[in-house]
Amino acid sequence: MAETKIAGGEYRVQPLGAKDAYKLLGELIRLAGPGARHLPAILTVTTDSSEGKMLADTAELIAVSDMLSVHGVDAFAEFKAGVCAVAQVKRPSGSYDEVDLDADFVGDLEGAEKLFNFVMEHAFGNFFKGNGAVGPAALALVLIRNVFQSQKFSKSRQA
């Protein structure tokens, strides 16, 4: 079991059973599919220059738009909430309950993203890290990591 602290809260994630992990991975691949054609631009454009950074950001935005156009905003939000619900949060009483994204992260999307990252890294650690993606599942994870996760997206906007 993995544990972490986010914004003063204590969270833990138990290992997923194989069937649940496959379901989560399947949903990830389904959602990522419409944005996959933008992977080459996202992965190969160098962000050392302002032009390269703009091209990579544009490819990410188009990939997000394609995924949302096909699946809708609700599918994106439900996927994020479902991933976060895999975690448990320690309540003031000391007991652990399932995370409720709406209740536990009111006004704290950054904290919600940190929890999402924590759950994804714990569930798919060796797929989720690095750029040596192999096969459709690993590529979907790369796409989700680079596009659906607002940390990279918001960092690129802040620079």
Side-chain angles (χ1 to χ4, degrees), residues 15-28:
L16 292 174
K19 187 175 177 181
D20 288 335
Y22 279 135
K23 285 180 181 180
L24 182 59
L25 193 55
E27 182 65 6
L28 185 67

Side-chain angles (χ1 to χ4, degrees), residues 43-122:
L43 296 175
T44 61
V45 172
T46 178
T47 56
D48 295 341
S49 68
S50 61
E51 295 84 16
K53 188 173 179 199
M54 186 173 68
L55 287 172
D57 287 350
T58 301
E60 289 176 357
L61 180 62
I62 294 168
V64 169
S65 179
D66 286 355
M67 288 184 271
L68 294 177
S69 291
V70 170
H71 300 297
V73 175
D74 288 340
F76 169 73
E78 289 302 318
F79 175 73
K80 293 287 243 187
V83 168
C84 290
V86 170
Q88 296 177 325
V89 60
K90 188 175 185 179
R91 300 293 180 198
S93 67
S95 66
Y96 280 87
D97 292 325
E98 184 179 285
V99 169
D100 177 340
L101 199 58
D102 281 336
D104 294 325
F105 290 97
V106 173
D108 186 14
L109 286 179
E110 183 179 350
E113 277 301 300
K114 288 178 182 178
L115 181 63
F116 177 83
N117 291 341
F118 172 69
V119 173
M120 291 301 289
E121 287 176 14
H122 183 69

Side-chain angles (χ1 to χ4, degrees), residues 36 82 85 102-103 136 141 155:
D102 281 336
L141 287 165
K155 282 181 188 173

